[in-house]
Amino acid sequence: MKKKKTIALGVVLLAACSLLTACGSSSYKNEYTLETTADSGAADYRDDYETDDLYDMAVAEDAIENESGEMSASGTSETGKQVAANRKLIKTVDMTVETEEFDVLTKKLTDKVEALGGYMEKASVSGTSINASYESTRSASYTARIPADKLDDFVTEVSSISNVLDKNESVEDVTLSYVDLESKKNTLKIEQERITALLEQADTIETIVALESRLTEIRYQLESMESQLRTYDNLVDYATIYLNVEEVERVTPVAPKSAFEKMKDGFVNSVYQIGRGFRNFVVGFVIVLPYLLLWGVIILMIILFVKGIIKNSQKKAEKKEQALHAAYEKENSEKK
């Protein structure tokens, strides 16, 4: 009887814990998906407080859960520094470059990614080689994943072997979201252990069903949290580079120029465009020349055929006229 009362009391306490955890889980589901964290959660925290203060606050909260229940001010400060040194930063780089040696550049990029221990998450090439057609050029789009500590090496290499038209770098600090997610996961693990212990003592069907139902929900939430933590870890450990490569005949100058240099380059570019247009005209004419010859032969045959018909018609008309003239003369001679 005493044992049943103990289990009943445990179930009541468990229900209260489950209610609180469910509220926390609901808040977690709404706030800690990767997209909403990036757009709202982390940004709102950074707007209201200093980042370093929040790290100290997070560390202080963890300290309260220690077995001793106390932590010295120096200990909190040291741990806060350690957390700050291990911030969860998601780095992203977006670059647009151009090159006159498309095949050489794309191979160097692939080799460099592999050499740094990264991988190509996505790669696509479109267009026709500039040497194969007088108008078309190729372009490539890459999504590369590079170890975060090797990101600067890769960006420097790309800048040295191509002409960079545009480069954007961004860093997203998800430390607060990561720490909060881990804290919620640890809380659920503690509840999972307690439910498992109560499940071993349960002696009624209703109690067992209720405990197992909550245990299933906790396991589902833990799997979801662990999946998001793994996603965070991947984004933090490997920086993402979006790279667009364009093939050109002449690279675009990016350095500032004086007025004289602009006039000079403009004149040279105009002469180049005129020469390029004349070259394209000659190349295009040569390309369509077989078609022109074919149509010329067809048109010539049609003209000759029409001339032949007209000539035959004229001969028949002349013969008919001569026959009529002969018959007329013969009739006149007979009358005489």
Side-chain angles (χ1 to χ4, degrees):
M1 190 71 179
K2 193 174 182 179
K3 183 178 180 182
K4 290 184 178 180
K5 289 182 178 179
T6 302
I7 294 175
L9 180 60
V11 171
V12 172
L13 293 174
L14 177 61
C17 292
S18 300
L19 181 60
L20 294 174
T21 306
C23 295
S25 300
S26 176
S27 175
Y28 148 74
K29 289 178 181 177
N30 291 331
E31 296 177 7
Y32 291 99
T33 60
L34 290 179
E35 295 181 355
T36 54
T37 298
D39 294 338
S40 61
D44 293 338
Y45 285 140
R46 286 196 292 269
D47 290 341
D48 296 337
Y49 304 101
E50 291 294 331
T51 305
D52 291 336
D53 293 341
L54 281 171
Y55 294 146
D56 291 339
M57 289 169 60
V59 172
E61 289 178 1
D62 290 339
I64 294 174
E65 296 179 1
N66 287 343
E67 293 180 0
S68 61
E70 295 180 355
M71 176 174 281
S72 63
S74 60
T76 301
S77 178
E78 290 177 1
T79 310
K81 291 180 180 178
Q82 183 179 1
V83 173
N86 295 308
R87 291 178 178 176
K88 300 295 182 180
L89 304 178
I90 298 177
K91 299 180 179 180
T92 305
V93 177
D94 195 333
M95 298 181 70
T96 300
V97 302
E98 60 182 14
T99 179
E100 298 174 358
E101 299 177 340
F102 186 84
D103 294 319
V104 176
L105 178 61
T106 53
K107 186 177 187 308
K108 286 183 177 180
L109 291 175
T110 304
D111 294 342
K112 187 63 176 178
V113 170
E114 294 178 356
L116 293 176
Y119 61 94
M120 285 293 185
E121 189 174 75
K122 180 182 177 183
S124 64
V125 178
S126 60
T128 307
S129 172
I130 202 168
N131 298 320
S133 175
Y134 69 99
E135 281 293 343
S136 299
T137 56
R138 289 172 292 179
S139 63
S141 177
Y142 297 104
T143 300
R145 303 299 304 281
I146 306 292
D149 57 342
K150 303 292 182 61
L151 177 62
D152 292 338
D153 294 342
F154 181 77
V155 173
T156 301
E157 178 70 14
V158 174
S159 301
S160 66
I161 61 178
S162 64
N163 186 43
V164 180
L165 298 178
D166 184 60
K167 181 177 72 173
N168 295 308
E169 299 184 22
S170 63
V171 178
E172 180 186 359
D173 191 342
V174 295
T175 308
L176 297 176
S177 301
Y178 191 94
V179 170
D180 188 77
L181 198 57
E182 277 195 324
S183 176
K184 290 182 181 294
K185 187 187 76 170
N186 293 335
T187 301
L188 285 176
K189 281 187 174 181
I190 293 173
E191 185 182 357
Q192 184 181 32
E193 293 174 359
R194 291 174 181 171
I195 291 178
T196 303
L198 288 173
L199 192 59
E200 293 177 355
Q201 301 177 14
D203 57 358
T204 64
I205 299 297
E206 292 79 3
T207 304
I208 293 174
V209 170
L211 292 175
E212 288 183 344
S213 176
R214 178 57 186 161
L215 194 59
T216 300
E217 183 180 351
I218 290 175
R219 287 171 180 168
Y220 174 78
Q221 292 176 5
L222 284 174
E223 290 177 0
S224 178
M225 291 179 180
E226 289 170 355
S227 175
Q228 292 190 47
L229 287 172
R230 285 194 299 270
T231 302
Y232 271 135
D233 288 334
N234 181 265
L235 292 173
V236 170
D237 294 340
Y238 286 83
T240 304
I241 298 93
Y242 300 102
L243 183 60
N244 297 311
V245 181
E246 298 175 359
E247 182 183 25
V248 295
E249 290 188 27
R250 301 174 69 193
V251 296
T252 304
V254 293
K257 295 182 179 181
S258 64
F260 176 76
E261 289 175 333
K262 289 180 179 179
M263 288 188 292
K264 176 185 173 183
D265 290 344
F267 177 78
V268 172
N269 186 61
S270 297
V271 173
Y272 171 78
Q273 293 295 337
I274 292 173
R276 185 172 182 268
F278 179 75
R279 183 196 65 183
N280 290 343
F281 171 77
V282 173
V283 173
F285 178 78
V286 173
I287 291 174
V288 300
L289 185 59
Y291 297 98
L292 295 176
L293 292 175
L294 177 62
W295 279 107
V297 171
I298 293 174
I299 292 172
L300 179 61
M301 292 177 64
I302 293 174
I303 291 174
L304 293 176
F305 179 74
V306 172
K307 281 185 175 181
I309 293 176
I310 294 174
K311 191 174 182 180
N312 288 334
S313 298
Q314 290 176 346
K315 286 182 178 180
K316 289 181 179 179
E318 289 177 357
K319 288 181 179 180
K320 186 176 182 180
E321 186 178 353
Q322 290 176 358
L324 291 173
H325 183 69
Y328 178 75
E329 289 182 350
K330 182 178 180 182
E331 182 179 353
N332 289 334
S333 62
E334 289 178 352
K335 287 181 180 181
K336 292 178 180 180

